[in-house]
């Protein structure tokens, strides 16, 4: 499994950030979406981000953010990347990238080949793509639900941007997920929690 880059998302405690870094995480994810049980205030995320060592990317997750809300978080918290996990259009992704002055990762819900085809719409505007499981109808959050999808839908695919696999990944399923999808980057959240919103150390 060498060469894999891992993002741990939904971090809210210093001990969990340290554990993620010690385990080799390349990205630390902070959720700025109040309905999520993993949401964190910008000032607390700032303290955690400032403790992270150089070379570990601090990623802020937003869901259809308004400019003012995005700017407020950016003014308080030093982030290295924006993750957009809502219904953002390619035009909105480009606008957020310009506003923030940071790389943007666009999350796309995947359930079938048509969903995979949508990735091409974002290649020109996003710096990275995150392939996540499509939430069930009526879900209160767009990701981090523990749901998976058919990883083989991604096997052999090549895009002009780096991409990351998400969706119900656990320590026990990662090897198979990589084998089926050819992913070289993984986003883990629910798979390292003892309960929703509380990370395992």
């Amino acid at each position: 499994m060498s060469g894999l880059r891992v993002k741990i998302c939904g971090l809210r405690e210093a001990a969990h950030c340290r554990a993620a870094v010690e385990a080799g995480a390349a990205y630390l994810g902070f959720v700025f979406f109040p309905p999520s049980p993993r949401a964190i205030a910008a000032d607390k995320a700032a303290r955690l981000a400032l403790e992270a060592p150089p070379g570990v990317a601090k990623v802020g997750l937003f869901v259809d953010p308004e400019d003012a809300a995005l700017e407020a978080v950016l003014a308080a918290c030093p982030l290295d990347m924006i993750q957009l996990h809502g219904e953002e259009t390619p035009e909105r992704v480009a606008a957020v990238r310009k506003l923030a002055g940071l790389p943007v990762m666009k999350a796309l819900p995947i359930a079938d080949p048509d969903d995979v085809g949508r990735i091409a719409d974002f290649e020109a505007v996003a710096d990275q793509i995150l392939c996540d499981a499509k939430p069930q109808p009526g879900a209160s959050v767009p990701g981090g639900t523990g749901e998976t999808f058919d990883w083989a839908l991604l096997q052999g695919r090549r895009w002009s941007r780096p991409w990351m696999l998400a969706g119900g990944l656990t320590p026990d399923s990662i090897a198979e997920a990589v084998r089926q999808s050819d992913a070289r980057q993984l986003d883990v959240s629910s798979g390292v929690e003892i309960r929703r919103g509380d990370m395992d150390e």
Side-chain angles (χ1 to χ4, degrees):
M1 304 288 284
S2 63
L4 282 178
R5 290 169 58 82
V6 176
K7 173 173 170 279
I8 305 297
C9 197
L11 293 162
R12 300 191 300 164
E13 303 295 337
H16 299 156
C17 290
R18 288 193 293 269
V21 170
E22 290 168 4
Y27 306 84
L28 303 180
F30 304 110
V31 176
F32 301 107
F33 180 56
S36 171
R38 304 182 181 100
I40 188 171
D43 59 343
K44 183 175 182 181
R47 292 193 293 272
L48 300 181
L50 289 169
E51 291 180 7
V56 177
K58 284 76 70 180
V59 183
L61 185 156
F62 299 83
V63 178
D64 298 307
E66 296 185 355
D67 287 357
L70 185 62
E71 289 174 326
V73 171
L74 291 172
C77 183
L79 296 175
D80 300 309
M81 180 178 287
I82 302 296
Q83 179 178 329
L84 296 176
H85 215 111
E87 298 294 327
E88 299 90 0
T89 64
E91 293 75 19
R92 180 57 179 160
V93 172
V96 167
R97 190 174 186 270
K98 182 177 181 180
L99 174 70
L102 293 172
V104 172
M105 178 188 300
K106 176 64 180 105
L108 293 171
I110 305 294
D112 56 44
D114 289 341
D115 295 328
V116 177
R118 292 186 60 227
I119 293 174
D121 298 337
F122 291 87
E123 283 186 271
V125 293
D127 297 275
Q128 294 206 42
I129 301 294
L130 186 141
C131 299
D132 199 359
K134 182 174 284 189
Q136 296 295 322
S140 60
V141 291
T145 62
E147 299 286 335
T148 63
F149 66 98
D150 182 3
W151 301 315
L153 288 169
L154 304 176
Q155 191 171 54
R157 300 283 189 144
R158 297 290 181 269
W159 293 284
S160 61
R161 302 294 189 185
W163 64 277
M164 187 176 288
L165 178 67
L169 297 172
T170 70
D172 293 333
S173 68
I174 281 174
E176 184 62 17
V178 169
R179 186 189 71 79
Q180 290 192 30
S181 68
D182 295 331
R184 303 312 301 165
Q185 297 195 108
L186 304 174
D187 187 320
V188 182
S189 185
S190 63
V192 290
E193 290 179 325
I194 52 176
R195 65 186 66 85
R196 186 62 63 86
D198 291 327
M199 293 287 175
D200 190 351
E201 294 183 33

